[in-house]
Structure formats: structure tokens, C-alpha cells
Amino acid sequence: MQVGTSSEMLFGHNSNVQAGGTTYHVQTEDRGTTNALIDTTVYFNGRVLHRRTNNYFDLLPLSPHREQALKQRLDEQHRAVVEELRTGALHLALPREEKAAPASAKPATASATGVLSLELLNAKTWLTGKRALLQIAVRNEAHQAVGNATVIARVDGAAEATQFSAKTGDFGHAQFEFDMPRLAGAEPALVIEASKGNARGHLRFQLRSKPRVPSAS
């Protein structure tokens, strides 16, 4: 009789928010049970303007029911920050040089510092057995597809270091397919990073290893 493991992933959120003629990027992540933090960061042109962090020590140790409660808290925190930006309840001062930029200034080029938004398009079906299929969309702060961006995927906490790389096409999409490595670390995570010029973006999804119910032998 053997006991296997399956991986469950808690998702973060990435949103581009228009407020007062300015586009902000809002990212919310679960920092894992070691830190037990839900972390929301607001970026403008790659700079951190605001951070909101709440702990969830009261939900530890996580169970399937508590994981749902954690996901709900993460969703609500992300939604609250987005709504506060849109309504003006959360007012953020832009960097001085951004305020002083003349109206005739040229738009930022692809190589300018900025934040890329990543989305896992098949978030609910990316893992079938031990086979992973990642379909990634990369967009800029104007929510436009970013072609020819470098996308890297890796599994932190794997027994053997593995990393995969691909380029996005004209529609800003990249795809990876690989066998999931054996998890050995205390806080394994799927990490997806994208870059083009000086623009960067990343997603980090915590992986949960849970024992399956043993089958009768």
C-alpha cells in the first residue's frame, strides 16, 4: 500500500487599474505558510507605491476548508485595493519626475522600466496527473500583448533544479509542457517570470502537497 502526493495551488492576482488617467498594476500573493502573509503591492512604472499585508496565522495549519477561507481573504484583499484605487479612496502620490514630465514627452518604449502582467490562462487545468501544461499571457501596463518577451518557469523546492524558457508570440502568449518534478522543499512553489528590456513581471503560486487516501491493497 503506497501513499502518493498531489499538488494544490493557491492563486495570486494581477490587475491593471485605470484611475484618474493613470494606470496602476496591482499584484496580490500568498507568501506561503512559513510567513502566513497575504501581500498586495501597487506598482506604477515598476515602482512600488503602496503595500498592504495581512497575516493568516489564525488559519494554520491549513486544511481544505481553511484553504478556501484563505483564498477568499486573498480575493477580498485584492478586490478592496483595486476598488479603492478606482474610487479614489486610496490616493497615491506619483514620483516627482512623472508629475513633471511634459505633455509632449514620448511614450515609453518596450525597453523602459515597467511592470509586465502575467496570467496563467489555464489556471484550473494546468496540471493533469504529473504532466504540467502552462499557457501564459504577457501584457504591459496598458494591457497590450507583449511579443518577443522571455518567459521562464521553474519549480522552487523541487528535488532537482529545473527551469524552462520560451518566447511570447505576436499575441503575447507562451506555452510550456513538462513533467512535474518531485517536491522536496518545505514551501514548494511554481514561479513564472517574464522580461522584455527592463520591464519585468512574475507570478508565484504556492504548491501544497497533500496525502491521498490510500487505496486498499
Side-chain angles (χ1 to χ4, degrees), residues 1 9 14-16 40-41 57 59 78-79 84 86 106 110 126 129 133 137 141 143-144 151 156-158 193 207-208:
M1 182 170 61
M9 189 165 67
N14 285 271
S15 300
N16 289 316
T40 300
T41 308
F57 291 114
L59 295 179
H78 185 81
R79 191 181 305 115
E84 288 173 24
R86 285 176 174 161
K106 295 181 180 179
W126 71 276
L133 173 63
E141 291 172 301
H143 211 61
Q144 298 169 326
V151 183
D156 287 352
E193 300 174 336
L207 299 174
R208 313 288 187 199

Side-chain angles (χ1 to χ4, degrees), residues 77-101:
Q77 180 168 310
H78 185 81
R79 191 181 305 115
V81 173
V82 168
E83 188 62 23
E84 288 173 24
L85 279 172
R86 285 176 174 161
T87 61
L90 178 59
H91 178 72
L92 302 177
L94 298 181
R96 185 180 301 275
E97 58 268 29
E98 297 293 343
K99 290 182 178 180

Side-chain angles (χ1 to χ4, degrees), residues 109-116 140-141 146 149-150 194-201:
T109 63
S111 61
T113 300
V115 175
L116 298 178
N140 60 20
E141 291 172 301
V146 178
T150 300
S195 63
K196 184 172 183 180
N198 293 325
R200 299 285 187 273

